[in-house]
């Protein structure tokens, strides 16, 4: 049974990655999570310098979902490269960094710093965080800014460049094409959906930042739809993200066209999620007479359309 | 290193109203947990509620590989846990967080519990007693109905004082007022340990400051993961030598903090939010 997938020249032992912001810097769960079960993990987003993040409360539960406004608290790329990067070298999985910036120049500089960390195998570009005043989603909703950031990062790194797209746009395929044309090697779809939860007693937002990003099973159908659209619109691989907690969830994304998937919010609930998904994925492939996970990618039989890939 | 595994429910005891004592089997938690540490629990894989819930560990039985939680069934997460059939497994991550640290020699430990906050202090009082110390337990609530584990406190065989805001049982007034009276009358140096509502912990902190004593408090902000990866449960903490407080995760750098390090004004805003929402 082959579960190996390839994203922009990067071989992953299976299509399961841990999503940025839900697995820290990898070290927090060392000893608790068996990393050999993961195709890879995407580190918490890094700016050049440390960030304090937003004041609490930073999360609130919503129906089958989680609304967060952490605000990209982090140690900064320079500190990471010096102190944490070397400690990730022995981790038994692929490490992808998540690159943030307030400016195009900062994205490029963070990318340059992280490219020099030997344990980093690829760069995901966070052009989609809804919880910061500058950069993030504000960049990712503008195709010209996407192109500028991708091109600037492309120039300073030999690593695969994977922009993470925001769903908070009218047509995500416009952003996908802009990223692809500017030299992206793959695309992560999707970041959180902008939301607002209101405390009716105080008539204030439940999150201290105000709005937040919605994740978890609640957003899965939106994410699957966008992955399907993007996979049809661009020739580069798509990594599906959005409320994945089971093999069947992961399969929805793969069938819709994703080459790999990221597990996010589910990491907060059960680190046994990877073992469970892998066992059930294998059983599914056997049941369907398949011996390679790649055979399932993009096989959605959508009414009125030819199959996108097979 | 915490362990993430299914922990079967071994025993359930309905204490009163919506309060339960739930005993689970989980060898690592039973063997390694120290007083003040906690576990993250969820009854099953259903997406409702989305997250696990944190619970202080109230008791451990390493020889039986079990630990016991004091659970108030208030929302869907806690209700599902309390309703779990005996023998069924819950998702359980632990042991997590920092523990209470013992007082220096010749210092009397004063354990101050507000209502539901009694849980970790029961384990702590048993540990201290086993170490040959005689902790004094202050257990307060709004009324007698809040002193759910009154008999467990009496069974410890340690000095204790009950208090209720409405005077329905024990001393009338806030539990911290009872502690203040004790501190004023005692000639022994004391170390304070607190777990309970935010206002109470803040009062413990100022009491300790006034008397020049050290206080350790167990904080309880909204938690997501328990492992320091979601960065939700941050508390502003300013340690000695730091110019300005830093956000620190209550799940990994707490939940037990030195009360003098907590920036209480900052903590208040997020805390009131949580108490309004109800856990």
């Amino acid at each position: 049974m082959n579960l190996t997938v390839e994203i922009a020249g990067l071989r992953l032992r299976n299509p399961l990655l841990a999503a940025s912001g839900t697995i820290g810097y990898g070290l927090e769960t060392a000893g608790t999570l068996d990393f050999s079960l993961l195709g890879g993990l995407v580190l918490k987003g890094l700016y050049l310098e440390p960030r304090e993040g937003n004041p609490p409360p930073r999360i609130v539960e919503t129906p089958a979902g989680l609304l967060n406004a952490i605000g990209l608290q982090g140690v900064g790329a320079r500190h990471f490269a010096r102190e944490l990067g070397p400690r990730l070298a022995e981790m038994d999985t692929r490490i992808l960094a998540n690159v943030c910036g307030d400016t195009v120049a900062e994205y490029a500089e963070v990318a340059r710093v992280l490219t020099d960390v030997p344990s980093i195998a690829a760069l995901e570009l966070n052009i989609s965080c809804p919880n910061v005043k500058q950069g993030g989603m504000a960049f990712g909703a503008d195709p010209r800014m996407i192109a500028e950031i991708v091109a600037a990062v492309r120039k300073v790194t030999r690593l695969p460049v994977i922009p993470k797209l925001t769903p908070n746009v009218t047509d995500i395929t416009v952003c996908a094409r802009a990223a692809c044309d500017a030299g992206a090697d793959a695309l992560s779809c999707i970041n959180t959906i902008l939301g607002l939860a209101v405390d009716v007693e105080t008539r204030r937002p439940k999150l201290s930042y105000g709005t937040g990003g919605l994740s978890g099973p609640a957003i899965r159908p939106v994410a699957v739809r966008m992955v399907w659209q993007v996979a049809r619109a661009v020739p580069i691989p798509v990594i599906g993200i959005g409320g994945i907690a089971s093999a069947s969830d992961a399969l929805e994304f793969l069938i819709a066209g994703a080459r790999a998937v990221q597990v996010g919010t589910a990491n907060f609930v059960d680190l046994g999620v990877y073992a469970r998904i892998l066992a059930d994925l294998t059983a599914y492939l056997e049941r369907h007479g398949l011996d390679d996970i790649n055979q399932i990618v993009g096989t959605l039989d959508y009414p009125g359309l030819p199959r996108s890939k097979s | 290193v915490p362990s993430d595994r299914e922990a079967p429910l071994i025993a359930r005891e309905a204490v009163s109203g919506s309060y339960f004592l739930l005993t689970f089997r989980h060898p690592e938690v039973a063997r390694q947990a120290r007083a003040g540490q906690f576990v993250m629990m969820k009854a099953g894989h259903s997406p409702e509620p989305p997250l696990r819930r944190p619970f202080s560990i109230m008791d451990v039985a390493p020889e039986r590989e079990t630990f016991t939680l004091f659970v108030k069934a208030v929302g869907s997460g806690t209700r599902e846990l309390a309703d779990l059939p005996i023998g069924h497994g819950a998702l359980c991550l632990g042991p997590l967080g920092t523990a209470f640290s013992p007082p220096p020699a010749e210092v009397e430990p004063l354990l101050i519990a507000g209502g539901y906050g009694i849980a970790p202090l029961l384990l702590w009082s048993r540990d201290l007693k086993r170490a040959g110390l005689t902790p004094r337990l202050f257990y307060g609530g709004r009324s007698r109905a809040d002193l759910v584990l009154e008999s467990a406190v009496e069974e410890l065989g340690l000095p204790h004082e009950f208090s209720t805001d409405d005077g329905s049982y024990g001393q009338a007034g806030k539990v911290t007022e009872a502690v203040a009276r004790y501190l004023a009358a005692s000639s022994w140096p004391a170390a304070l340990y607190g777990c309970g509502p935010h206002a109470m912990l803040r009062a413990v902190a100022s009491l300790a400051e006034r008397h020049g004593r050290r206080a350790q408090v167990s904080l309880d902000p909204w938690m997501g993961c328990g492992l320091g990866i979601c960065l939700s449960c941050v508390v502003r903490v300013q340690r000695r030598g730091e110019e300005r407080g830093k956000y620190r995760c209550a799940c990994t750098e707490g939940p037990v903090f030195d009360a003098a390090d907590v920036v209480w004004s900052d903590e208040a805003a997020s805390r009131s939010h949580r108490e309004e929402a109800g856990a």
Side-chain angles (χ1 to χ4, degrees), chain A residues 176-264:
Chain A
R177 281 194 204 93
C180 183
D181 293 346
D185 299 292
L187 296 170
S188 291
C189 302
I190 58 175
N191 205 318
T192 54
I193 298 178
L194 191 62
L196 175 64
V198 175
D199 181 326
V200 298
E201 295 304 319
T202 63
R203 303 187 200 177
R204 290 191 312 233
K206 286 185 175 176
L207 297 175
S208 102
Y209 182 75
T211 56
L214 185 64
S215 66
I219 72 165
R220 195 166 57 237
V222 178
V224 172
R225 183 263 295 177
M226 289 191 162
V227 163
W228 174 68
Q229 290 179 310
V230 170
R232 289 171 57 81
V234 295
I236 54 178
V238 177
I239 303 170
I241 320 167
I244 296 171
S246 72
S248 134
D249 302 341
L251 281 161
E252 284 199 50
F253 282 90
L254 297 172
I255 292 166
R259 199 74 64 82
V261 295
Q262 293 180 13
V263 175

Side-chain angles (χ1 to χ4, degrees), chain A residues 2-7 10-18 34-41 92-94 254 259-261 263 274-275 277-279 281-282 293-294:
Chain A
N2 177 48
L3 292 180
T4 309
V5 298
E6 202 175 303
I7 303 277
L10 191 66
R11 280 172 69 82
L12 308 175
R13 67 161 69 89
N14 68 51
L16 306 181
L17 298 127
D34 178 1
F35 286 101
S36 74
L37 297 174
L38 277 69
L41 63 86
D92 184 15
T93 195
R94 294 279 194 197
L254 297 172
R259 199 74 64 82
V261 295
V263 175
Y274 297 94
I277 294 181
L278 283 179
L281 264 188
T282 307
I293 189 81
N294 294 287

Side-chain angles (χ1 to χ4, degrees), chain A residues 71-120:
Chain A
L72 288 169
Q73 178 178 333
V75 298
R78 292 191 208 277
H79 174 92
F80 170 84
R82 209 171 42 240
E83 306 290 335
L84 306 181
R87 292 168 61 194
L88 294 176
E90 283 161 39
M91 199 153 277
D92 184 15
T93 195
R94 294 279 194 197
I95 314 279
L96 290 74
N98 180 281
V99 176
C100 303
D102 281 340
T103 62
V104 175
E106 185 175 9
Y107 277 99
E109 182 58 11
V110 171
R112 199 190 55 72
V113 169
L114 294 174
T115 299
D116 290 340
V117 179
S119 48
I120 303 297

Side-chain angles (χ1 to χ4, degrees), chain B residues 10-11 22-34 57-69 123 126-127 130:
Chain B
I10 302 301
L22 303 178
T23 299
F24 295 90
R25 177 171 293 128
H26 189 302
E28 291 84 0
V29 172
R31 277 198 293 267
Q32 296 161 18
R34 292 175 298 141
I57 296 159
M58 193 192 91
D59 202 4
V60 291
E63 67 288 354
R64 288 197 297 275
E65 302 188 330
T66 64
F67 68 89
T68 301
L69 304 179
L123 182 57
R126 279 188 286 264
D127 284 357
R130 209 172 301 128

Side-chain angles (χ1 to χ4, degrees), chain B residues 205-247:
Chain B
S206 61
L207 204 53
E209 191 184 0
R210 230 173 18 251
H211 288 266
R213 308 297 182 211
R214 188 172 170 223
Q216 295 171 42
V217 291
S218 173
L219 298 182
D220 185 24
W222 272 120
M223 249 176 217
C225 68
L227 288 163
I229 54 183
C230 75
L231 307 177
S232 302
C233 63
V234 292
V235 174
R236 191 176 289 283
V237 170
Q238 184 172 9
R239 301 222 164 107
R240 205 163 300 155
E242 285 178 358
E243 204 171 291
R244 187 162 176 267
K246 271 171 56 174
Y247 281 140

Side-chain angles (χ1 to χ4, degrees), chain A residues 21-24 28-29 31-32 52 55-59 61-66 70 73 199 202 205-206 268-271 276, chain B residues 1-2 4 42 45 47-53 91 93 223-225 227-232 234 236 244-245 247 270 273 276:
Chain A
T22 67
I23 201 68
E28 296 86 341
T29 52
T32 303
E52 184 169 56
R58 292 174 167 189
I59 52 165
E61 285 174 300
T62 60
L66 187 61
I70 308 297
Q73 178 178 333
D199 181 326
T202 63
K206 286 185 175 176
F268 300 154
V269 186
D270 175 22
L271 289 172
R276 234 169 354 97
Chain B
V1 175
D4 193 353
K42 192 174 184 310
H45 288 106
E48 277 308 322
L51 297 173
R52 306 200 230 213
R53 295 286 180 272
L91 300 173
L93 173 68
M223 249 176 217
C225 68
L227 288 163
I229 54 183
C230 75
L231 307 177
S232 302
V234 292
R236 191 176 289 283
R244 187 162 176 267
Y247 281 140
S270 71
H273 229 296
E276 281 160 17

Side-chain angles (χ1 to χ4, degrees), chain B residues 8-165:
Chain B
L9 180 68
I10 302 301
R12 172 184 33 244
E13 184 188 335
V15 191
S16 88
S18 51
Y19 292 94
F20 296 86
L21 296 180
L22 303 178
T23 299
F24 295 90
R25 177 171 293 128
H26 189 302
E28 291 84 0
V29 172
R31 277 198 293 267
Q32 296 161 18
R34 292 175 298 141
Q37 290 192 296
F38 68 101
V39 287
M40 296 290 292
M41 306 284 297
K42 192 174 184 310
H45 288 106
S46 129
E48 277 308 322
L51 297 173
R52 306 200 230 213
R53 295 286 180 272
F55 298 94
S56 286
I57 296 159
M58 193 192 91
D59 202 4
V60 291
E63 67 288 354
R64 288 197 297 275
E65 302 188 330
T66 64
F67 68 89
T68 301
L69 304 179
F70 180 39
V71 174
K72 183 183 185 184
V74 285
S76 61
T78 45
R79 171 55 63 190
E80 277 179 23
L81 210 55
D83 286 346
L84 206 63
I86 299 291
H88 278 234
L91 300 173
C92 174
L93 173 68
L96 301 165
T98 53
F100 294 116
S101 56
E106 308 295 312
V107 172
E108 183 183 23
L110 305 181
L111 281 48
I112 307 152
Y116 195 37
I118 186 71
L121 296 176
L122 282 174
L123 182 57
W124 187 223
S125 57
R126 279 188 286 264
D127 284 357
L128 290 170
K129 189 182 176 187
R130 209 172 301 128
L133 301 178
T134 308
R136 176 174 290 265
L137 201 62
F138 296 82
Y139 186 17
R142 272 163 303 185
S143 69
R144 186 168 189 176
D146 292 330
L147 305 184
V148 182
L149 296 183
E150 177 198 334
S151 59
V153 169
E154 279 170 343
E155 282 161 21
L156 291 168
L158 292 167
H160 58 268
E161 299 182 20
F162 297 125
S163 58
T164 51
D165 295 359

